[in-house]
Amino acid sequence: MINVCFVCHGNICRSPMAEFVFRDLCEKKGTLSKFNVTSRATSNEEEGNPVHYGTKRILARLGIDVSGKYAERISKDDIEKADYIIIMDEYNRGNLYRLADRYGEKYKNAVIEKTRTLLSFTKRGGNIADPWYTGDFEKTYEDVKEGCECFYDFLSAAETNRN
């Protein structure tokens, strides 16, 4: 099983969008059982809050239900279990490094080894803008969708090369 943890600042907009878009993609391809997919925050500002209505609206339009998802901060256990920690932007990387520093050297090293931006799997790279600030959830969705598709292709190619 491949453990994937999508991470953003508050875990109410981008990372849950990526979590559920990636799950939906895997389900449609019949491979969801190969993955454990979660999402977390680097801060505790939104902890316990549901998915933002902008994200929820887009995912509902796609037939993806996010009920029962509440923001959680990434923990030592999440870092340890993850094979891939997929961040939405470089700001998230800095916050994740600072948090892992508090957890200890073992976790800092794990974060360094496991972390990549979602758009690093695309040809264009870059960051996914935070719709909390931009208000443009559609653009965020397009970036997340592209990133998740390319990340899935990356994982599929890696599995093919292992076999």
Side-chain angles (χ1 to χ4, degrees):
M1 177 146 322
I2 298 170
N3 293 296
V4 178
C5 185
F6 292 101
V7 177
C8 70
H9 183 75
N11 193 220
I12 60 169
C13 299
R14 295 172 293 172
S15 61
M17 184 184 285
E19 173 187 354
F20 286 95
V21 166
F22 190 75
R23 281 187 190 178
D24 185 63
L25 175 65
C26 293
E27 190 171 344
K28 287 176 177 167
K29 293 193 179 274
T31 59
L32 186 57
S33 63
K34 294 180 178 183
F35 298 95
N36 178 42
V37 185
T38 60
S39 66
R40 298 288 186 263
T42 59
S43 79
N44 60 3
E45 294 170 25
E46 298 289 346
E47 202 160 25
N49 287 333
V51 173
H52 189 283
Y53 66 87
T55 293
K56 195 181 291 188
R57 184 184 70 242
I58 288 172
L59 295 179
R61 182 182 73 215
L62 299 168
I64 301 171
D65 180 26
V66 298
S67 58
K69 172 66 182 171
Y70 298 94
E72 294 179 67
R73 188 178 201 181
I74 194 164
S75 68
K76 291 178 184 180
D77 191 47
D78 294 322
I79 293 168
E80 202 162 17
K81 285 181 180 176
D83 295 306
Y84 295 92
I85 299 171
I86 307 300
I87 56 175
M88 301 299 118
D89 62 36
E90 290 300 329
Y91 180 76
N92 301 147
R93 186 185 308 274
N95 286 343
L96 194 54
Y97 285 172
R98 282 187 285 286
L99 185 59
D101 246 353
R102 286 188 264 169
Y103 290 157
E105 194 69 25
K106 168 183 168 184
Y107 299 98
K108 184 177 180 180
N109 291 336
V111 164
I112 290 168
E113 292 171 16
K114 299 176 182 185
T115 302
R116 291 189 54 187
T117 61
L118 183 57
L119 291 182
S120 72
F121 296 97
T122 69
K123 290 180 180 174
R124 63 186 171 97
N127 294 315
I128 296 176
D130 191 340
W132 175 264
Y133 300 104
T134 68
D136 194 347
F137 283 83
E138 291 295 332
K139 172 68 172 137
T140 297
Y141 168 70
E142 291 302 322
D143 287 346
V144 164
K145 180 179 180 235
E146 178 186 2
C148 284
E149 289 169 348
C150 292
F151 179 48
Y152 185 88
D153 292 345
F154 166 83
L155 293 173
S156 296
E159 183 178 340
T160 299
N161 290 336
R162 275 194 304 269
N163 295 333

